[in-house]
Each structure stands twice: as C-alpha cells, then as structure tokens.
C-alpha cells in the first residue's frame, strides 16, 4: 500500500518522502485509516519500539488539525523528555509544507518560562511529559478542555515510571467526547485497567504478538559469578569487535561506575543517567550518534526515547526488576529490518528469571560460554585481517612514498611482514588475555529445572536480605519494592539485589550500608490498607507458613520483639 491509498494528503506525503519514507509500515497501514475518520473510535495499538508508531498517530493528527482554531486540539503524552522532543521534531517535519499547524514540546528539565511563552503564542498540538504538563495546567497556562484527541505513547513505560496519578489528573481535565489513543509495546494489567477506565470500547490493533520481542533479535545469555560480571562484560565487548550498543544497569551509581571502568580500560564508552544535566545528556548523545562512543551505559529511564536504528547489541548488565522491561530493552536493537542481539549477563541466582523472560517473549535464550582469551584473540585477529582486505588504497597518493617504504621493509620476507603488521594492533589482546581465567560457572548436577524460591538463602556479598509481609496476594511487585525504598528513605541509588515475590510474603536484597535507613523508613507504613512489617533476614530459624499453608522451618528472619513472643505464648495456651 501507499500513503496516498491509506488517506494521507499530498503535502504530507511530500514531506515524509523527503525523510526517506517510501511505503507505510504495518502499524501505519492499520492505524492511519482509522484515525483519519471523523468519527474515529478509541484505539489500543500494541507494537514494539521502532515500528513507526509516531507517524501512525502523528500524520492523522496533523491532517485533522484546523489551523484557524487557536486552542490545543491534540495532546500527546509520553514518558521522557527525549521521546517528547523526538515526537515534536517528527511532527514538525511531517508538517513541513503545512506551516499553519503549530506544535510544541513541554517537558521537565528545561526552562519553563520559554515553554510558557511558546504555548501562549498559540499551539494546536502539544507533546508533553506528564509532570511538566500537569504543572502548566495548574498554572492555567495550558488548557486542554477542548482537545479532540489524547495519545498515550509508551503507556506501559509511563506507568512503570510512576506517572499514574499525573495521567489520571490530566485525563480528568479532558472532555468526555475526545478520542483516546493508547500505544504500548506491552499490555500489563496496569495498562489494561487504565484503558478500561478512560477509553470507550477501544479497537485493539496488534502488530506481531503481545509482549514479545522482535523476530530479528537473537537472545543470548552468559552465566557467571556475580563478582565476575564486569570481566564478562569486557570479554563480550572484545568478542564482538563491531559492537555498537547500550549496556543497561539498574541504578545511576552503577551506571557511572561501569562507564568509568570501561573508559579507564580503553573502551569508547560513556554514561547516560538521571544525574546528568540536559547539556551533558545532549553532548553524550551527540557522540553516541556519531559513533565516537560505541558503548553507552544507561539506566532504563534515561534511555527511553532514544531513536537509534542501527544498534548491534543490547547488553543487560543487570536484569530489570520488572522483567517486562526486558522487552523494551531488547526492542532497541533489530530495528528497521536489521538483525540485532540482546545479551544477558546473569548470575546463578537469576537463572529462573531467564525462564520467565523466555515465556514472555516466546523465545529461548542461547546460553553461551563466556569467551576464553583464545576465542577473543582469534576473533580480533580475523576482524583486523578483514579490515585490511577491505581497506581502499589511493594509489595516486601512496605511490610517491611507496619506493621508500619498500626500501625500508625490503629485508623482511612476506610471512614476516604479515606477522609484524598484524602484531602492531594485535599484541595488546595477546598480552591482556595471556593466562586469563575461565569465567564460566560449571553447572552442578541436579540444578536444572524449576528453581526453588526458598526463604533460607543468604544475602549476596555487600547486601542485606529483608523479609516483608507482602506478596502476590497483595498485588505486590518488584517495582513496588524499588518505589517504596525511594519514597520511604529519600535516598536515591540504593543498590537493590535479588527480589523474590512469593504468595503471602516476599524477600529482597539491598545495600547493607543502608539497612537502618530502610528499616526506619518502612516503620508505620501501609500498602493498600495493609500495615507493612519489614524485618532483616539474619539466617536465624523460625517457623513460618509456606505458600502451601504447611508450617516449616526456615532461615531468614530476625527474632521478634518480646511483645510478639508473649502473643505467641498466649495463642499456644
């Protein structure tokens, strides 16, 4: 099909053809004809990152905009300032030959006064992050009581980032007769609940399967001891000489530490996280887009909205606590028809998480051994030889120097010359990987199959293990653990380890340096009308009820207070 056949006007086709669009992508073919209709229904579109969602909603919104009407007609909400700006820039490019349509970006982390001046001049379409938009609505700068359409782009990520309250407050300001368009890569229960609450009999359009990764992405896992994670990362980076990708870490502190170590070890790397100012972020992204930086170490939040089509690899230095985020991460490679690779560096405790992800993406991980020094040297050697074979020789320029070069190297025979040439670049790999250890973890017999989720585990090195009286029956999730620690302690970047959500209770690991702050922060707090009980699991035995209801002895609970002991005695009597 062509853009003309699905209803796009010539002035917009001319603009998008100049941008390199030839034919509509699948999500555009399905969504645009429905959105162009005057009596458009509410739509839920499920499609992976990089499938052309912005044009799918952006072209119809621009085409339906009436430039003579001065109020805001269409509103687009998205999770991050990068995505907000990207959408605004794309829409302005689509409207290149329709100068009457005014589009503005409203997002946090930038000068508010400048954004207020732009909005007050009159705009028809606003691309916004929820926090900044709600602030401007409260200041009565932005009025959305007459909008015709509201787009929730990457709705799952907005909810993961904790924007539920802001989204609900914004949607309450919009008229009942508007169209609501929800675009998402995954469809967790939270997104479904929001759709049921704010949408009217939405039509659901799915490109590919729900909650799965792209077909042209390979998924590879490497199992190592937790202490060897960084060494494994370096070997993986060396094993793929043409790597150009993003390394995902959990916290801002870890992101900066990994980036600093890579830079110190001679890699073209940099970091992207929430502690960077906007000018710093822009500088990092400019270097990354020009490939002056080949490895970008980032947090999930900071990486949202990055629009780079030619990434070769995504490396999960740590798995996300909410495993559905893995789909977002892996979807950043294998875009625009290219193939890509998503790599997970996992420790033994995380193997069961890989099985959960496999069910989620409907694909199997290729569990590979961490490359040995010999493997890396061989790969780098042939990469160097390939580069030499493909290099273009400018005879006109080099002929003037060739006699002197031949005279200088005349004493070497052909074989010796090749060896010396290769060694110029190759010696550093030979020296570094000489006598390096095998990082692979031997799989013990009997360890296969379903991993037991028991409470008698010891905390990982550097972590304290906590028991909390909330579980699956309370709709308690890993993302809630992280949110509580951030909210109750007011300390950012606490390292969080393994999280085990069981039926009636849960365990999580956190940096042991903050044990007292976490215990104090959780005191007296309530989760969904249930009082929270948080204790440190110290490896002391205590009888607790298992998920099956049977009483069993477990390690992992701090001794109760004298008051609780007295209660237990009375119950026994």
């Amino acid at each position: 099909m062509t853009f003309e056949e699905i209803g796009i006007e010539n002035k917009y086709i001319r603009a998008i053809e100049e941008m390199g669009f030839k034919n509509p992508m699948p999500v555009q073919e399905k969504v645009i004809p429905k959105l162009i209709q005057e009596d458009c229904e509410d739509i839920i579109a499920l499609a992976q990152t990089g499938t052309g969602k912005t044009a799918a909603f952006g072209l119809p919104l621009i085409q339906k905009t009436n430039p003579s009407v001065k109020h805001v007609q269409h509103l687009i909400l998205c999770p991050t300032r990068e995505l907000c700006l990207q959408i605004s820039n794309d829409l302005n490019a689509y409207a290149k030959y329709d100068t009457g349509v005014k589009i503005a970006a409203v997002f946090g982390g930038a000068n508010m006064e400048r954004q207020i001046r732009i909005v007050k001049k009159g705009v028809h379409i606003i691309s916004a992050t929820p926090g900044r938009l709600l602030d401007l609505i409260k200041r009565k700068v932005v009025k959305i009581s007459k909008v015709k359409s509201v787009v929730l782009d990457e709705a799952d990520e907005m909810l993961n980032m904790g924007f539920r309250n802001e989204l609900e407050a914004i949607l309450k300001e919009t008229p009942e007769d508007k169209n609501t368009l929800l675009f998402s890569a995954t469809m967790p229960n939270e997104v479904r609940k929001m759709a049921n609450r704010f949408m009217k009999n939405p039509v659901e359009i799915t490109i590919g399967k729900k909650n799965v990764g792209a077909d042209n992405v390979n998924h590879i896992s490497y199992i190592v001891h937790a202490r060897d994670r960084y060494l494994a990362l370096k070997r993986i980076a060396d094993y793929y000489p043409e790597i150009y990708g993003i390394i995902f870490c959990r916290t801002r502190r870890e992101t900066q530490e990994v980036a600093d170590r890579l830079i110190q070890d001679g890699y073209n790397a940099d970091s992207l996280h929430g502690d960077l100012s906007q000018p710093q972020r822009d500088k990092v992204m400019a270097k990354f887009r020009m490939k002056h930086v080949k490895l970008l170490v980032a947090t999930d939040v900071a990486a949202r909205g990055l629009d780079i089509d030619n990434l070769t690899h995504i490396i999960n230095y740590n798995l996300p606590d909410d495993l559905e985020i893995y789909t977002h991460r892996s979807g950043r490679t294998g875009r625009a028809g290219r193939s890509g690779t998503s790599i997970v560096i996992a420790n033994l405790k995380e193997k069961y998480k890989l099985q959960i992800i496999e069910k989620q993406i409907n694909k199997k991980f290729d569990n590979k051994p961490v490359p040995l020094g010999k493997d890396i040297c061989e790969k780098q050697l042939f990469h160097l030889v390939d580069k030499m074979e493909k290099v273009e020789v400018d005879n006109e320029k080099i002929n003037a120097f060739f006699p002197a070069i031949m005279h200088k190297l005349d004493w070497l025979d052909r074989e010796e010359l090749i060896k010396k040439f290769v060694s110029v670049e190759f010696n550093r790999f030979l020296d570094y990987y000489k006598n390096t250890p095998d990082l692979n973890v031997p799989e013990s017999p009997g360890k296969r199959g379903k991993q037991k989720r028991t409470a008698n585990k010891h905390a990982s090195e550097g972590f304290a293990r906590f028991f909390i009286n909330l579980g699956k029956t309370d709709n308690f999730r890993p993302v809630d653990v992280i949110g509580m620690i951030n909210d109750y302690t007011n300390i950012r970047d606490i390292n969080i380890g393994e999280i085990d959500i069981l039926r009636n209770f849960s365990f999580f690991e956190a940096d042991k340096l903050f044990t007292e702050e976490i215990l104090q922060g959780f005191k007296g707090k309530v989760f969904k009308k249930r009082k929270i009980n948080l204790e440190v699991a110290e490896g002391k035995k205590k009888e607790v009820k298992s998920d099956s209801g049977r009483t069993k002895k477990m390690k992992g609970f701090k001794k109760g207070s004298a008051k609780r002991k007295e209660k237990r005695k009375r119950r026994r009597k």
Side-chain angles (χ1 to χ4, degrees):
M1 296 184 72
T2 65
F3 282 104
E4 186 175 7
E5 288 172 335
I6 61 175
I8 299 299
E9 295 176 5
N10 286 333
K11 57 185 172 183
Y12 306 117
I13 293 175
R14 180 183 170 195
I16 60 180
E17 283 180 347
E18 289 179 5
M19 296 171 66
F21 291 95
K22 299 297 181 185
N23 297 98
M25 298 173 77
V27 68
Q28 296 159 4
E29 283 186 7
K30 291 188 176 183
V31 171
I32 288 175
K34 293 184 180 296
L35 292 190
I36 285 178
Q37 298 172 13
E38 284 300 321
D39 55 345
C40 170
E41 300 173 280
D42 287 357
I43 292 175
I44 296 173
L46 300 177
Q48 299 302 314
T49 306
T51 52
K53 289 183 288 183
T54 303
F57 63 75
L59 288 168
L61 292 190
I62 294 170
Q63 189 161 307
K64 293 172 75 172
T65 299
N66 184 350
S68 63
V69 177
K70 299 302 179 185
H71 60 72
V72 179
Q73 297 173 42
H74 307 291
L75 176 63
I76 303 163
L77 295 170
C78 54
T80 65
R81 54 192 175 191
E82 283 81 12
L83 183 56
C84 174
L85 269 171
Q86 178 194 317
I87 291 171
S88 173
N89 292 337
D90 286 348
L91 265 59
N92 275 307
Y94 303 155
K96 180 179 179 180
Y97 298 106
D98 189 357
T99 54
V101 177
K102 303 300 179 186
I103 301 156
V106 169
F107 53 92
N111 187 296
M112 184 184 288
E113 294 304 318
R114 182 175 179 274
Q115 292 178 1
I116 289 173
R117 286 196 300 271
I118 293 171
V119 170
K120 284 186 173 180
K121 288 179 182 178
V123 294
H124 304 108
I125 302 175
I126 289 181
S127 170
T129 53
R132 175 56 62 89
L133 178 65
L134 188 57
D135 196 351
L136 294 183
I137 290 172
K138 289 177 179 177
R139 292 168 181 252
K140 301 189 183 303
V141 174
V142 174
K143 296 177 182 178
I144 56 173
S145 58
K146 297 180 181 180
V147 296
K148 294 181 178 180
S149 307
V150 175
V151 177
L152 304 176
D153 190 23
E154 302 210 3
D156 50 354
E157 192 59 26
M158 284 195 282
L159 293 178
N160 282 337
M161 291 171 63
F163 283 128
R164 176 187 297 279
N165 294 336
E166 289 87 345
L167 289 174
E168 291 182 355
I170 291 167
L171 291 172
K172 285 176 183 175
E173 296 288 324
T174 58
E176 286 289 328
D177 60 347
K178 69 181 180 300
N179 285 127
T180 304
L181 317 168
L182 188 151
F183 289 78
S184 187
T186 60
M187 196 64 175
N189 290 334
E190 291 79 8
V191 176
R192 178 66 67 185
K193 288 176 185 175
M194 175 161 280
N196 292 339
R197 184 174 175 187
F198 291 102
M199 303 180 79
K200 303 181 292 290
N201 301 318
V203 176
E204 191 167 311
I205 297 170
T206 302
I207 305 300
K209 297 178 182 177
K210 295 181 187 178
N211 297 340
V212 300
D215 289 335
N216 50 342
V217 176
N218 298 316
H219 300 266
I220 298 174
S221 61
Y222 295 95
I223 307 298
V224 298
H225 291 295
R227 64 178 181 271
D228 293 330
R229 198 183 296 268
Y230 178 72
L231 293 175
L233 171 65
K234 290 207 303 178
R235 292 199 187 183
I236 292 165
D238 288 340
Y239 189 71
Y240 297 100
E242 293 293 334
I243 190 170
Y244 174 53
I246 301 176
I247 301 165
F248 281 102
C249 296
R250 255 196 227 145
T251 66
R252 284 173 278 188
R253 185 169 69 181
E254 183 179 57
T255 298
Q256 191 61 56
E257 286 174 354
V258 171
D260 288 344
R261 292 180 73 180
L262 286 171
I263 294 167
Q264 187 177 352
D265 288 336
Y267 295 86
N268 292 327
D270 213 330
S271 61
L272 190 71
H273 53 75
D275 286 342
L276 301 181
S277 65
Q278 191 60 41
Q280 287 174 318
R281 292 170 65 88
D282 293 341
K283 184 177 180 181
V284 170
M285 286 311 303
K287 289 192 294 183
F288 188 52
R289 286 194 170 94
M290 291 187 289
K291 294 191 177 181
H292 293 168
V293 166
K294 302 295 286 289
L295 295 171
L296 183 67
V297 191
T299 58
D300 289 292
V301 173
R304 298 307 295 167
L306 301 186
D307 186 31
I308 300 173
D309 287 336
N310 55 345
L311 298 180
T312 62
H313 291 76
I314 294 298
I315 299 179
N316 295 267
Y317 189 76
N318 277 310
L319 282 170
D321 293 303
D322 187 344
L323 296 182
E324 285 192 343
I325 293 175
Y326 177 85
T327 308
H328 286 285
R329 290 182 176 182
S330 61
R332 300 200 164 279
T333 186
R335 298 169 68 170
R338 298 179 177 90
S339 61
T341 301
S342 178
I343 291 172
V344 172
I345 304 173
N347 60 41
L348 286 170
K349 288 184 177 182
E350 295 173 318
K351 286 184 72 175
Y352 77 97
K353 292 183 179 180
L354 299 180
Q355 296 170 2
I356 297 172
I357 293 173
E358 285 178 337
K359 291 178 182 177
Q360 179 180 298
I361 63 176
N362 198 29
K363 285 187 174 184
K364 289 286 185 183
F365 278 97
D366 182 5
N367 186 18
K368 291 190 174 184
V370 178
L372 300 173
K374 175 180 175 295
D375 304 323
I376 294 168
C377 289
E378 183 177 314
K379 198 76 177 281
Q380 287 285 344
L381 174 60
F382 283 101
H383 173 65
L384 179 63
V385 172
D386 285 342
K387 280 177 66 177
M388 180 191 69
E389 285 183 325
K390 294 173 184 176
V391 71
E392 292 186 8
V393 177
D394 189 335
N395 287 313
E396 186 177 337
K397 291 180 180 178
I398 206 168
N399 281 345
F401 305 96
F402 199 64
I405 294 171
M406 289 296 294
H407 179 71
K408 177 72 176 172
L409 301 177
D410 190 47
W411 64 279
L412 292 169
D413 62 26
R414 179 174 178 272
E415 185 175 330
E416 192 69 21
L417 179 62
I418 292 173
K419 285 179 181 178
K420 284 184 175 290
F421 167 77
V422 169
S423 297
V424 170
E425 285 288 326
F426 192 56
N427 276 352
R428 64 188 181 93
F429 283 102
L430 290 171
D431 292 339
Y432 179 80
Y433 284 109
K434 184 180 180 181
N435 301 323
T436 50
D438 186 350
L439 301 181
N440 292 287
V441 178
E443 188 165 351
S444 303
K447 292 290 183 181
R448 293 181 181 274
K450 188 175 181 180
Q451 179 157 333
K452 296 178 181 179
R453 298 176 301 172
T454 59
N456 60 352
K457 296 178 182 176
H458 292 289
S460 303
E461 186 179 348
F463 288 88
R465 188 169 175 80
F466 295 86
F467 162 83
I468 188 167
N469 64 328
L470 301 171
K472 290 181 179 178
T473 55
D474 305 289
N475 291 321
F476 191 57
R477 305 165 306 158
V479 70
D480 295 319
V481 175
I482 299 166
M484 286 175 169
I485 292 173
N486 287 337
D487 293 341
Y488 298 163
T489 65
N490 290 321
I491 301 172
R492 292 295 183 263
D493 290 343
I494 294 178
N495 275 331
I496 299 170
E498 185 176 345
I499 299 175
D500 291 329
I501 306 294
L502 304 182
R503 185 181 298 172
N504 298 316
F505 52 86
S506 303
F507 294 88
F508 66 87
E509 295 178 352
D511 191 332
K512 66 181 180 182
L513 295 176
F514 300 99
T515 299
E516 286 306 316
E517 288 89 340
I518 292 171
L519 290 172
Q520 289 298 322
F522 276 74
K523 272 188 179 177
K525 295 298 189 295
V526 175
F527 180 82
K528 295 181 180 177
K529 299 183 180 180
R530 186 175 177 190
K531 188 176 179 181
I532 295 174
N533 175 32
L534 184 77
E535 301 179 7
V536 177
E538 292 183 333
K540 297 180 180 180
K541 291 185 179 180
K542 176 178 178 178
E543 288 190 349
V544 297
K545 285 193 175 180
S546 68
D547 284 355
S548 63
R550 292 193 298 272
T551 299
K552 60 181 180 179
K553 293 212 172 203
M554 291 185 177
K555 293 180 184 177
F557 290 90
K558 193 176 182 179
K559 284 187 176 178
S561 65
K563 192 174 180 180
R564 288 199 297 274
K565 289 179 185 176
E566 190 61 35
K567 282 183 180 179
R568 285 197 295 273
K569 285 180 183 178
R570 286 200 297 270
R571 281 200 296 270
R572 290 192 193 104
K573 289 177 183 178

